[in-house]
Amino acid sequence: MKIAPSILSADFGILDIEIKKICDGGCDYIHVDVMDGHFVPNLTIGPVVVSSVAKVATKPLDIHLMVENNTFFVELFAPLEPEFISFHIESESHPHRLIQKIKSYGIKPAIVLNPHTPPEMIEYLLEDLEMVLLMSVNPGFGGQKFIPSVIEKARKLKGMISKRGLKTLIEVDGGVNDKNIDDLKNAGVDVVVAGNYVFNNPSYKDAISSLK
Ligand code: DX5
Ligand code: ZN
């Protein structure tokens, strides 16, 4: 299982130290939640702050866009050379076009599904995607309760991916902890995002290892 701590739960006053601690603690990616105050009722960080994160990070960035104008934000973040940029299917009318744009920068494209959105929505995009991110909370805030129906959704999505002989990764984001990680693994999940579970633990390293 690969672990992507969400820096939404980090102490932004000492962000450089926080980034160093999760990288040294064995995380696989750094999950960056970008919110525009329109698609979700919260506002976070833009490319100025994320470029400072990128400077101290020794692990690749996983950028999760929760915005209305996806194309604008992809253009803003592409120069930071993240590993993944994911955008919500619920806010994009032309997902296939946007996937090609993300790929044109040499960045891996991913699509995010809100808790109510069925995996069939992206069935015909699967072969163009490197990863599908399933939300297990309503996007906007860290520290929310895990919505268990994501487990069945992950299993269904895994079946769709395997049937097509693809290697598309499945990531789950929201309320992940040591209680639900086994169910996620058994359902075929490859990557989990963990905000509060990592940053509320006195040792980020222990939290990451316990999930692994
Ligand atoms: C929610 C964000 C998540 C969140 C995860 O909109 O996408 O990445 O910060 O935090 P926890 O693990 O605390 O639910
Ligand atoms: Zn996220």
Side-chain angles (χ1 to χ4, degrees), residues 10-188:
D11 182 344
F12 275 67
I14 48 163
L15 197 50
D16 54 341
I17 297 169
E18 298 277 72
I19 300 294
K20 196 175 176 315
K21 273 163 72 178
I22 52 171
C23 290
D24 293 348
C27 77
D28 298 282
Y29 304 108
I30 297 167
H31 186 82
V32 179
D33 289 305
V34 176
M35 307 183 189
D36 67 350
H38 295 279
F39 180 64
V40 287
N42 199 359
L43 195 59
T44 57
I45 50 176
V48 174
V49 175
V50 181
S51 67
S52 297
V53 171
K55 272 184 209 137
V56 287
T58 55
K59 300 292 168 68
L61 302 186
D62 170 30
I63 295 186
H64 173 191
L65 299 179
M66 284 160 273
V67 301
E68 280 183 355
N69 190 344
N70 289 297
T71 304
F72 171 74
F73 281 88
V74 165
E75 286 166 359
L76 271 187
F77 284 100
L80 303 180
E81 300 178 355
E83 179 94 357
F84 299 100
I85 293 185
S86 59
F87 64 90
H88 275 258
I89 193 71
E90 300 86 3
S91 71
E92 184 53 53
S93 310
H94 302 289
H96 186 272
R97 183 186 291 154
L98 187 59
I99 288 168
Q100 307 314 319
K101 187 178 184 75
I102 295 171
K103 280 188 183 172
S104 75
Y105 292 111
I107 298 165
K108 295 176 179 167
I111 283 188
V112 196
L113 307 185
N114 271 336
H116 73 282
T117 306
E120 287 81 1
M121 276 287 284
I122 53 153
E123 194 163 2
Y124 300 111
L125 294 170
L126 277 179
E127 63 183 337
D128 292 302
L129 291 170
E130 292 283 340
M131 188 163 79
V132 178
L133 170 47
L134 302 178
M135 291 308 299
S136 40
V137 295
N138 290 296
F141 304 93
Q144 300 182 78
K145 197 168 171 281
F146 182 80
I147 300 172
S149 60
V150 76
I151 292 165
E152 184 191 319
K153 201 201 279 192
R155 203 172 286 126
K156 201 169 183 185
L157 177 62
K158 185 72 183 178
M160 290 163 63
I161 292 168
S162 309
K163 207 171 99 192
R164 285 167 179 72
L166 299 171
K167 295 205 161 59
T168 321
L169 300 172
I170 302 178
E171 182 177 37
V172 167
D173 181 5
V176 172
N177 57 38
D178 56 348
K179 308 278 183 301
N180 49 37
I181 191 88
D182 288 340
D183 288 340
L184 292 169
K185 181 72 194 170
N186 293 335

